[in-house]
Structures are given as C-alpha cells and as structure tokens.
Amino acid sequence: RVVDTTPVRMLPMGLLDLPLELISLVLARCDAKTLCRVAASCRLLGLGVPPPPPPRSPVEEALRARAEAGGWWIPASLPEGESSWLSMLAWVETAVERRGRASTSAGAHHSLLLDSRGALLSAGTERPRNHFAHLPASPADGTPGLLGHT
C-alpha cells in the first residue's frame, strides 16, 4: 500500500466560509455593542442570506422573450419607481408599438398630443370662459390655462 506524503496545501479560510450555525455560536459570545458593529459592517451577518428571487410568471417570461427578440434593452434590476417587472415590460412593449404614431389625450376643455417626433403639443383651456366669466381667465389676471397657456 502506497501512502501519499505530499503536503496538502490549504487555502486561507475566512469567517464567512464557516457554516452559518457555527458563525452564530461564535457571535453568541460577543456583547451587544460588538454584535451591532458586526451587523453594521457585514451585510451577510447583519441581514442574513438574501432570499432567492421569486419565480417569473409565464407572461413575464413571454414579454422578456419578445423584448430580447425585438432587441430592446432590459435593465438588470427593476428601475426605481416600478412596482413589478410585468408592468414595466408590458409598458416597454406598448411604448415600442406606439412609436411613430401620434398619441392623444383630451379633457373637457383641452387636448394634449404627441407628434411623430415625440414633442408634446397642447391646445385649449382649463375651463370654458362662458361658464366662469366672473373669474379671471388669463395669465395677466393671475390664472394661467393648461400648462401655462391661455
């Protein structure tokens, strides 16, 4: 029988290479002030292991596949202010579909539209002059119309 006498070269081992149960036993010996310092200096020790991301829905996967096929850029993380990937991806696709077409929005006394270049155009007033004749209706009188127009 041949015994291998080659020395085993051990790689340096850090605290986070230990099992979490063992790390907890080590940290249990520290006082509260030290534990607070550890929690503030190491995200893994302070917050624990992050949960896995939730599974994607089939609709989200379909929207991602369409975005990839269309060559649209999708960010690596959900942009600030967005509530879900599904709503953001659906909005991106509808925005791409609308590209090149004029969009409009109208109120009772005004209209907003986007021209083919994406410029915002507006027309109208915030209120009809004949219904509120006793109120000022011009910027000179202190009441601007929609988006500052009169």
Side-chain angles (χ1 to χ4, degrees):
R1 177 173 174 198
V2 178
V3 177
D4 186 7
T5 59
T6 308
V8 176
R9 189 165 192 183
M10 297 293 291
L11 295 176
M13 188 172 185
L15 178 65
L16 297 180
D17 294 324
L18 297 173
L20 291 178
E21 298 81 17
L22 187 56
I23 295 172
S24 297
L25 290 173
V26 170
L27 293 175
R29 297 183 167 271
C30 298
D31 61 21
K33 189 174 182 180
T34 302
L35 288 174
C36 288
R37 288 178 178 157
V38 168
S41 64
C42 180
R43 183 175 295 178
L44 177 65
L45 296 177
L47 300 176
V49 178
R56 294 177 180 164
S57 73
V59 172
E60 181 183 335
E61 288 293 341
L63 287 168
R64 283 180 179 277
R66 291 166 62 103
E68 186 177 325
W72 311 326
W73 176 78
I74 301 297
S77 60
L78 191 62
E80 185 177 331
E82 292 292 340
S83 59
S84 72
W85 279 107
L86 184 63
S87 62
M88 193 218 51
L89 291 167
W91 183 87
V92 166
E93 183 161 331
T94 56
V96 169
E97 288 174 354
R98 285 192 314 262
R99 189 183 300 161
R101 297 191 323 221
S103 298
T104 61
S105 175
H109 310 289
H110 68 272
S111 297
L112 299 174
L113 40 124
L114 293 175
D115 68 9
S116 61
R117 296 170 296 137
L120 177 65
L121 308 174
S122 66
T125 63
E126 289 183 354
R127 59 179 181 251
R129 292 177 192 249
N130 58 351
H131 287 81
F132 299 98
H134 62 287
L135 297 175
S138 71
D141 296 322
T143 306
L146 180 68
L147 299 175
H149 298 281
T150 58

